Amino acid sequence: MSSPAASACTDTSAPVLRDFGGGPFGIYVHVPFCATRCGYCDFNTYTAGELGTSASPQSWLAALRGELAAAAREFAALPSPTPEVATVFVGGGTPSLLGGDGLAAVLDAVRAEFTLAAGAEVTTESNPESTSPEFFERIRAAGFTRVSLGMQSAAQHVLRVLDRTHTPGRAVAAAREARAAGFDHVNLDLIYGTPGERDADLDASLDAVLGAGVDHVSAYSLIVEDGTALARRVRRGELPAPDDDVLAARYERIDARLRSAGLGWYEVSNWAAGDAAVCRHNLGYWDGGDWLGAGPGAHSHVGGVRWWNVKHPARYADRVGAGGLPAAGWEALGADERYMERVMLAVRLRSGLPLADLAPAAAPAVDRVVADGLAVRSDDDRLVLTDRGRLLADGVVRELLG
């Protein structure tokens, strides 16, 4: 490839936007509040004790409204009309700490500045302990169509290592409450490979997930992130680091159980009971779509320009109050960077990477990964990972990018 590299700028809060990319447009809203901090988490989240009086859900919501209004003005100045919003995803943090009325206010703030498409997917993440039947009924009435619940494990000792506060059975109960409130699409998140987790613990978690009647499951291997409490415990020798062979075996165990129950993989870490159950918002990321990320620390991408907000809720509110987008920095992606991201993301999808999207120089690498049994050429000329290839997806990407 021979194109200019991405240009990055961190000395201005005003990204220089290009036009929209032509694909689906989504909005991600980041809620930075958590009741407690989980030992493995490195997300941009804060407990009430960490924030003190510098920020609150009320000041955050006021700033969110201001950012959405500023973004709408910026987008209105682009050559093409602002697309209708195909997906909204409220994540965190713990969005359910806002309560049903708070999440309804978030969706109202989005609707005040943008037009939701007919049939838009509207998702919120939730911690099982901060939900109830009334909570699910309220957000369903407000317009949410999908709920993602953090379960992680059904084993109490595993939850304890992760510093999760919910009881093992609460996630399943919350999923059933969401279904009873009218949600057709409910996801449960699992984390596998936690130190001390046994095969029997994972089997119990899968039994619970499948017994909950959800139509989507996300399963992620535990990653020990620098700077977290878990990383400090591993460094001190209190806990062993996750073992790659164990992680691979656990992934295969998860895939076999979910597949036998009718949930097929559509992205390396995600399984769904048919096309209607996939998370369309996340597909927008993997397919290189456009999205606005609103809230402290949120990332956005529009037409090959990416920017990221200031992280602390108080600074975020101050920046919004000063006018314009609260960006900490931005970059315009060059052709090399866009090509790299296309390969990295599309390879992870069951639909695969169109061979026509690959540079001619990648042809020998394609031959190698196919010969090694890591991928196949589909009938519609796509490179699709095999079951073994999913375990080595990062290596396949490295091979293709050479």
Side-chain angles (χ1 to χ4, degrees):
M1 304 290 289
S2 59
S3 68
S7 57
C9 178
T10 57
D11 62 354
T12 176
S13 62
V16 179
L17 300 183
R18 301 167 176 168
D19 206 0
F20 291 96
F25 176 56
I27 293 179
Y28 171 80
V29 176
H30 186 70
V31 180
F33 308 110
C34 280
T36 60
R37 181 173 295 281
C38 298
Y40 64 92
C41 179
D42 71 338
F43 294 165
N44 185 44
T45 63
Y46 306 84
T47 65
E50 290 168 337
L51 287 173
T53 59
S54 66
S56 68
Q58 293 74 28
S59 64
W60 166 83
L61 181 57
L64 176 71
R65 292 189 178 108
E67 182 186 7
L68 291 170
R73 291 192 298 271
E74 294 283 347
F75 294 161
L78 296 178
S80 64
T82 303
E84 292 185 336
V85 178
T87 62
V88 177
F89 195 106
V90 185
T94 310
S96 49
L97 285 179
L98 300 176
D101 289 343
L103 282 171
V106 169
L107 189 52
D108 285 344
V110 172
R111 287 195 183 106
E113 304 296 341
F114 296 90
T115 300
L116 267 62
E121 175 192 87
V122 183
T123 304
T124 184
E125 293 180 334
S126 297
N127 185 303
E129 291 294 342
S130 52
T131 64
S132 66
E134 294 76 19
F135 167 84
F136 291 118
E137 290 166 5
R138 178 68 181 95
I139 64 172
R140 186 71 188 93
F144 284 82
T145 66
R146 189 173 178 276
V147 172
S148 181
L149 293 158
M151 176 178 171
Q152 320 317 349
S153 175
Q156 183 66 65
H157 70 96
V158 173
L159 293 175
R160 191 176 302 116
V161 171
L162 295 173
D163 293 324
R164 295 290 294 185
T165 58
H166 66 265
T167 55
R170 177 57 201 153
V172 170
R176 291 173 176 160
E177 290 166 2
R179 295 300 295 267
F183 282 95
D184 294 327
H185 306 305
V186 180
N187 172 67
L188 283 171
D189 275 349
L190 290 176
I191 290 179
Y192 60 93
T194 301
E197 180 189 61
R198 303 160 299 191
D199 285 347
D201 298 324
L202 180 60
D203 289 343
S205 297
L206 292 167
D207 288 343
V209 164
L210 296 176
V214 298
D215 67 344
H216 191 288
V217 177
S218 301
Y220 304 102
S221 63
L222 180 67
I223 298 175
V224 180
E225 301 284 2
D226 289 342
T228 63
L230 180 63
R232 291 190 289 274
R233 295 184 68 187
V234 170
R235 188 169 59 249
R236 291 194 297 263
E238 298 174 14
L239 294 171
D243 180 272
D244 287 344
D245 291 337
V246 171
L247 293 176
R250 295 272 160 78
Y251 180 88
E252 292 176 328
R253 200 178 193 96
I254 291 167
D255 184 55
R257 285 292 306 278
L258 295 180
R259 190 180 296 186
S260 67
L263 281 81
W265 78 282
Y266 69 96
E267 191 274 342
V268 168
S269 299
N270 290 272
W271 292 257
D275 291 344
V278 306
C279 179
R280 287 157 46 199
H281 185 85
N282 286 342
L283 274 179
Y285 298 148
W286 297 318
D287 283 336
D290 291 330
W291 71 90
L292 169 68
H299 286 232
S300 301
H301 174 273
V302 172
V305 177
R306 181 163 48 213
W307 68 97
W308 47 95
N309 288 348
V310 294
K311 286 187 171 183
H312 195 278
R315 286 195 60 225
Y316 163 76
D318 289 344
R319 186 70 67 86
V320 171
L325 297 176
W330 63 277
E331 61 182 351
L333 301 181
D336 286 350
E337 290 70 33
R338 298 178 82 165
Y339 174 77
M340 179 180 67
E341 291 195 359
R342 173 65 176 155
V343 172
M344 289 175 59
L345 297 172
V347 159
R348 297 180 61 85
L349 296 172
R350 184 168 190 167
S351 56
L353 171 66
L355 291 169
D357 289 356
L358 285 167
V366 171
D367 292 340
R368 287 193 295 272
V369 298
V370 170
D372 289 342
L374 301 178
V376 296
R377 293 180 178 90
S378 68
D379 292 339
D380 57 349
D381 292 323
R382 291 171 175 264
L383 189 69
V384 180
L385 294 176
T386 61
D387 290 348
R388 179 167 169 263
R390 279 190 280 159
L391 296 172
L392 300 168
D394 291 344
V396 172
V397 170
R398 287 193 295 272
E399 188 75 22
L400 294 174
L401 294 176

mmCIF file with all atom_site columns, all heavy atoms in Angstrom, residues 268-283:
data_model
loop_
_atom_site.group_PDB
_atom_site.id
_atom_site.type_symbol
_atom_site.label_atom_id
_atom_site.label_alt_id
_atom_site.label_comp_id
_atom_site.label_asym_id
_atom_site.label_entity_id
_atom_site.label_seq_id
_atom_site.pdbx_PDB_ins_code
_atom_site.Cartn_x
_atom_site.Cartn_y
_atom_site.Cartn_z
_atom_site.occupancy
_atom_site.B_iso_or_equiv
_atom_site.pdbx_formal_charge
_atom_site.auth_seq_id
_atom_site.auth_comp_id
_atom_site.auth_asym_id
_atom_site.auth_atom_id
_atom_site.pdbx_PDB_model_num
ATOM 1   N N   . VAL A 1 268 ? -16.159 -14.054 16.528 1.00 0.00 ? 268 VAL A N   1
ATOM 2   C CA  . VAL A 1 268 ? -15.366 -15.012 17.292 1.00 0.00 ? 268 VAL A CA  1
ATOM 3   C C   . VAL A 1 268 ? -15.851 -15.178 18.735 1.00 0.00 ? 268 VAL A C   1
ATOM 4   O O   . VAL A 1 268 ? -15.847 -16.284 19.273 1.00 0.00 ? 268 VAL A O   1
ATOM 5   C CB  . VAL A 1 268 ? -13.876 -14.602 17.251 1.00 0.00 ? 268 VAL A CB  1
ATOM 6   C CG1 . VAL A 1 268 ? -13.065 -15.384 18.264 1.00 0.00 ? 268 VAL A CG1 1
ATOM 7   C CG2 . VAL A 1 268 ? -13.308 -14.816 15.851 1.00 0.00 ? 268 VAL A CG2 1
ATOM 8   N N   . SER A 1 269 ? -16.303 -14.107 19.356 1.00 0.00 ? 269 SER A N   1
ATOM 9   C CA  . SER A 1 269 ? -16.715 -14.175 20.766 1.00 0.00 ? 269 SER A CA  1
ATOM 10  C C   . SER A 1 269 ? -18.220 -14.059 20.973 1.00 0.00 ? 269 SER A C   1
ATOM 11  O O   . SER A 1 269 ? -18.662 -13.859 22.101 1.00 0.00 ? 269 SER A O   1
ATOM 12  C CB  . SER A 1 269 ? -16.011 -13.067 21.564 1.00 0.00 ? 269 SER A CB  1
ATOM 13  O OG  . SER A 1 269 ? -14.607 -13.222 21.523 1.00 0.00 ? 269 SER A OG  1
ATOM 14  N N   . ASN A 1 270 ? -19.001 -14.207 19.903 1.00 0.00 ? 270 ASN A N   1
ATOM 15  C CA  . ASN A 1 270 ? -20.444 -13.976 20.010 1.00 0.00 ? 270 ASN A CA  1
ATOM 16  C C   . ASN A 1 270 ? -21.240 -15.034 19.263 1.00 0.00 ? 270 ASN A C   1
ATOM 17  O O   . ASN A 1 270 ? -20.906 -15.385 18.119 1.00 0.00 ? 270 ASN A O   1
ATOM 18  C CB  . ASN A 1 270 ? -20.787 -12.588 19.457 1.00 0.00 ? 270 ASN A CB  1
ATOM 19  C CG  . ASN A 1 270 ? -20.286 -11.474 20.349 1.00 0.00 ? 270 ASN A CG  1
ATOM 20  O OD1 . ASN A 1 270 ? -20.975 -11.057 21.272 1.00 0.00 ? 270 ASN A OD1 1
ATOM 21  N ND2 . ASN A 1 270 ? -19.074 -10.995 20.092 1.00 0.00 ? 270 ASN A ND2 1
ATOM 22  N N   . TRP A 1 271 ? -22.318 -15.488 19.903 1.00 0.00 ? 271 TRP A N   1
ATOM 23  C CA  . TRP A 1 271 ? -23.189 -16.515 19.366 1.00 0.00 ? 271 TRP A CA  1
ATOM 24  C C   . TRP A 1 271 ? -24.639 -16.018 19.425 1.00 0.00 ? 271 TRP A C   1
ATOM 25  O O   . TRP A 1 271 ? -25.035 -15.353 20.389 1.00 0.00 ? 271 TRP A O   1
ATOM 26  C CB  . TRP A 1 271 ? -23.094 -17.797 20.182 1.00 0.00 ? 271 TRP A CB  1
ATOM 27  C CG  . TRP A 1 271 ? -21.789 -18.522 20.092 1.00 0.00 ? 271 TRP A CG  1
ATOM 28  C CD1 . TRP A 1 271 ? -21.518 -19.653 19.374 1.00 0.00 ? 271 TRP A CD1 1
ATOM 29  C CD2 . TRP A 1 271 ? -20.556 -18.218 20.776 1.00 0.00 ? 271 TRP A CD2 1
ATOM 30  N NE1 . TRP A 1 271 ? -20.219 -20.053 19.545 1.00 0.00 ? 271 TRP A NE1 1
ATOM 31  C CE2 . TRP A 1 271 ? -19.605 -19.184 20.406 1.00 0.00 ? 271 TRP A CE2 1
ATOM 32  C CE3 . TRP A 1 271 ? -20.178 -17.201 21.662 1.00 0.00 ? 271 TRP A CE3 1
ATOM 33  C CZ2 . TRP A 1 271 ? -18.297 -19.180 20.888 1.00 0.00 ? 271 TRP A CZ2 1
ATOM 34  C CZ3 . TRP A 1 271 ? -18.889 -17.196 22.142 1.00 0.00 ? 271 TRP A CZ3 1
ATOM 35  C CH2 . TRP A 1 271 ? -17.951 -18.171 21.753 1.00 0.00 ? 271 TRP A CH2 1
ATOM 36  N N   . ALA A 1 272 ? -25.431 -16.358 18.409 1.00 0.00 ? 272 ALA A N   1
ATOM 37  C CA  . ALA A 1 272 ? -26.812 -15.890 18.355 1.00 0.00 ? 272 ALA A CA  1
ATOM 38  C C   . ALA A 1 272 ? -27.715 -16.977 17.793 1.00 0.00 ? 272 ALA A C   1
ATOM 39  O O   . ALA A 1 272 ? -27.292 -17.819 16.996 1.00 0.00 ? 272 ALA A O   1
ATOM 40  C CB  . ALA A 1 272 ? -26.928 -14.625 17.505 1.00 0.00 ? 272 ALA A CB  1
ATOM 41  N N   . ALA A 1 273 ? -28.982 -16.919 18.196 1.00 0.00 ? 273 ALA A N   1
ATOM 42  C CA  . ALA A 1 273 ? -29.984 -17.872 17.726 1.00 0.00 ? 273 ALA A CA  1
ATOM 43  C C   . ALA A 1 273 ? -30.639 -17.328 16.468 1.00 0.00 ? 273 ALA A C   1
ATOM 44  O O   . ALA A 1 273 ? -31.825 -16.994 16.462 1.00 0.00 ? 273 ALA A O   1
ATOM 45  C CB  . ALA A 1 273 ? -31.023 -18.123 18.816 1.00 0.00 ? 273 ALA A CB  1
ATOM 46  N N   . GLY A 1 274 ? -29.855 -17.188 15.403 1.00 0.00 ? 274 GLY A N   1
ATOM 47  C CA  . GLY A 1 274 ? -30.388 -16.703 14.144 1.00 0.00 ? 274 GLY A CA  1
ATOM 48  C C   . GLY A 1 274 ? -30.032 -15.256 13.873 1.00 0.00 ? 274 GLY A C   1
ATOM 49  O O   . GLY A 1 274 ? -29.565 -14.516 14.752 1.00 0.00 ? 274 GLY A O   1
ATOM 50  N N   . ASP A 1 275 ? -30.275 -14.823 12.644 1.00 0.00 ? 275 ASP A N   1
ATOM 51  C CA  . ASP A 1 275 ? -29.885 -13.479 12.208 1.00 0.00 ? 275 ASP A CA  1
ATOM 52  C C   . ASP A 1 275 ? -30.573 -12.374 13.013 1.00 0.00 ? 275 ASP A C   1
ATOM 53  O O   . ASP A 1 275 ? -29.979 -11.311 13.259 1.00 0.00 ? 275 ASP A O   1
ATOM 54  C CB  . ASP A 1 275 ? -30.205 -13.297 10.723 1.00 0.00 ? 275 ASP A CB  1
ATOM 55  C CG  . ASP A 1 275 ? -29.315 -14.145 9.828  1.00 0.00 ? 275 ASP A CG  1
ATOM 56  O OD1 . ASP A 1 275 ? -28.272 -14.630 10.319 1.00 0.00 ? 275 ASP A OD1 1
ATOM 57  O OD2 . ASP A 1 275 ? -29.671 -14.334 8.650  1.00 0.00 ? 275 ASP A OD2 1
ATOM 58  N N   . ALA A 1 276 ? -31.815 -12.579 13.415 1.00 0.00 ? 276 ALA A N   1
ATOM 59  C CA  . ALA A 1 276 ? -32.541 -11.540 14.139 1.00 0.00 ? 276 ALA A CA  1
ATOM 60  C C   . ALA A 1 276 ? -31.949 -11.275 15.512 1.00 0.00 ? 276 ALA A C   1
ATOM 61  O O   . ALA A 1 276 ? -32.170 -10.211 16.096 1.00 0.00 ? 276 ALA A O   1
ATOM 62  C CB  . ALA A 1 276 ? -34.016 -11.917 14.275 1.00 0.00 ? 276 ALA A CB  1
ATOM 63  N N   . ALA A 1 277 ? -31.177 -12.229 16.026 1.00 0.00 ? 277 ALA A N   1
ATOM 64  C CA  . ALA A 1 277 ? -30.648 -12.110 17.387 1.00 0.00 ? 277 ALA A CA  1
ATOM 65  C C   . ALA A 1 277 ? -29.267 -11.485 17.453 1.00 0.00 ? 277 ALA A C   1
ATOM 66  O O   . ALA A 1 277 ? -28.782 -11.188 18.549 1.00 0.00 ? 277 ALA A O   1
ATOM 67  C CB  . ALA A 1 277 ? -30.619 -13.487 18.053 1.00 0.00 ? 277 ALA A CB  1
ATOM 68  N N   . VAL A 1 278 ? -28.597 -11.283 16.319 1.00 0.00 ? 278 VAL A N   1
ATOM 69  C CA  . VAL A 1 278 ? -27.249 -10.719 16.369 1.00 0.00 ? 278 VAL A CA  1
ATOM 70  C C   . VAL A 1 278 ? -27.307 -9.281  16.880 1.00 0.00 ? 278 VAL A C   1
ATOM 71  O O   . VAL A 1 278 ? -28.323 -8.601  16.762 1.00 0.00 ? 278 VAL A O   1
ATOM 72  C CB  . VAL A 1 278 ? -26.558 -10.768 14.991 1.00 0.00 ? 278 VAL A CB  1
ATOM 73  C CG1 . VAL A 1 278 ? -26.561 -12.168 14.426 1.00 0.00 ? 278 VAL A CG1 1
ATOM 74  C CG2 . VAL A 1 278 ? -27.211 -9.793  14.021 1.00 0.00 ? 278 VAL A CG2 1
ATOM 75  N N   . CYS A 1 279 ? -26.199 -8.820  17.448 1.00 0.00 ? 279 CYS A N   1
ATOM 76  C CA  . CYS A 1 279 ? -26.120 -7.429  17.903 1.00 0.00 ? 279 CYS A CA  1
ATOM 77  C C   . CYS A 1 279 ? -25.742 -6.554  16.717 1.00 0.00 ? 279 CYS A C   1
ATOM 78  O O   . CYS A 1 279 ? -24.584 -6.504  16.301 1.00 0.00 ? 279 CYS A O   1
ATOM 79  C CB  . CYS A 1 279 ? -25.092 -7.291  19.028 1.00 0.00 ? 279 CYS A CB  1
ATOM 80  S SG  . CYS A 1 279 ? -24.921 -5.596  19.630 1.00 0.00 ? 279 CYS A SG  1
ATOM 81  N N   . ARG A 1 280 ? -26.720 -5.863  16.165 1.00 0.00 ? 280 ARG A N   1
ATOM 82  C CA  . ARG A 1 280 ? -26.484 -5.043  14.980 1.00 0.00 ? 280 ARG A CA  1
ATOM 83  C C   . ARG A 1 280 ? -25.541 -3.883  15.271 1.00 0.00 ? 280 ARG A C   1
ATOM 84  O O   . ARG A 1 280 ? -24.776 -3.449  14.399 1.00 0.00 ? 280 ARG A O   1
ATOM 85  C CB  . ARG A 1 280 ? -27.817 -4.528  14.445 1.00 0.00 ? 280 ARG A CB  1
ATOM 86  C CG  . ARG A 1 280 ? -28.644 -5.600  13.762 1.00 0.00 ? 280 ARG A CG  1
ATOM 87  C CD  . ARG A 1 280 ? -30.126 -5.278  13.722 1.00 0.00 ? 280 ARG A CD  1
ATOM 88  N NE  . ARG A 1 280 ? -30.380 -3.905  13.301 1.00 0.00 ? 280 ARG A NE  1
ATOM 89  C CZ  . ARG A 1 280 ? -31.525 -3.257  13.514 1.00 0.00 ? 280 ARG A CZ  1
ATOM 90  N NH1 . ARG A 1 280 ? -32.523 -3.866  14.169 1.00 0.00 ? 280 ARG A NH1 1
ATOM 91  N NH2 . ARG A 1 280 ? -31.689 -2.023  13.091 1.00 0.00 ? 280 ARG A NH2 1
ATOM 92  N N   . HIS A 1 281 ? -25.579 -3.361  16.496 1.00 0.00 ? 281 HIS A N   1
ATOM 93  C CA  . HIS A 1 281 ? -24.683 -2.252  16.832 1.00 0.00 ? 281 HIS A CA  1
ATOM 94  C C   . HIS A 1 281 ? -23.226 -2.689  16.722 1.00 0.00 ? 281 HIS A C   1
ATOM 95  O O   . HIS A 1 281 ? -22.405 -2.006  16.104 1.00 0.00 ? 281 HIS A O   1
ATOM 96  C CB  . HIS A 1 281 ? -24.985 -1.728  18.232 1.00 0.00 ? 281 HIS A CB  1
ATOM 97  C CG  . HIS A 1 281 ? -24.174 -0.522  18.576 1.00 0.00 ? 281 HIS A CG  1
ATOM 98  N ND1 . HIS A 1 281 ? -24.552 0.751   18.233 1.00 0.00 ? 281 HIS A ND1 1
ATOM 99  C CD2 . HIS A 1 281 ? -22.988 -0.388  19.224 1.00 0.00 ? 281 HIS A CD2 1
ATOM 100 C CE1 . HIS A 1 281 ? -23.649 1.624   18.648 1.00 0.00 ? 281 HIS A CE1 1
ATOM 101 N NE2 . HIS A 1 281 ? -22.682 0.946   19.246 1.00 0.00 ? 281 HIS A NE2 1
ATOM 102 N N   . ASN A 1 282 ? -22.892 -3.827  17.330 1.00 0.00 ? 282 ASN A N   1
ATOM 103 C CA  . ASN A 1 282 ? -21.516 -4.295  17.262 1.00 0.00 ? 282 ASN A CA  1
ATOM 104 C C   . ASN A 1 282 ? -21.122 -4.693  15.847 1.00 0.00 ? 282 ASN A C   1
ATOM 105 O O   . ASN A 1 282 ? -19.966 -4.518  15.446 1.00 0.00 ? 282 ASN A O   1
ATOM 106 C CB  . ASN A 1 282 ? -21.313 -5.461  18.228 1.00 0.00 ? 282 ASN A CB  1
ATOM 107 C CG  . ASN A 1 282 ? -21.260 -4.995  19.673 1.00 0.00 ? 282 ASN A CG  1
ATOM 108 O OD1 . ASN A 1 282 ? -21.048 -3.817  19.943 1.00 0.00 ? 282 ASN A OD1 1
ATOM 109 N ND2 . ASN A 1 282 ? -21.475 -5.910  20.600 1.00 0.00 ? 282 ASN A ND2 1
ATOM 110 N N   . LEU A 1 283 ? -22.056 -5.205  15.068 1.00 0.00 ? 283 LEU A N   1
ATOM 111 C CA  . LEU A 1 283 ? -21.753 -5.483  13.668 1.00 0.00 ? 283 LEU A CA  1
ATOM 112 C C   . LEU A 1 283 ? -21.341 -4.209  12.935 1.00 0.00 ? 283 LEU A C   1
ATOM 113 O O   . LEU A 1 283 ? -20.507 -4.250  12.029 1.00 0.00 ? 283 LEU A O   1
ATOM 114 C CB  . LEU A 1 283 ? -22.963 -6.113  12.978 1.00 0.00 ? 283 LEU A CB  1
ATOM 115 C CG  . LEU A 1 283 ? -23.118 -7.625  13.092 1.00 0.00 ? 283 LEU A CG  1
ATOM 116 C CD1 . LEU A 1 283 ? -24.381 -8.079  12.360 1.00 0.00 ? 283 LEU A CD1 1
ATOM 117 C CD2 . LEU A 1 283 ? -21.904 -8.361  12.551 1.00 0.00 ? 283 LEU A CD2 1
#
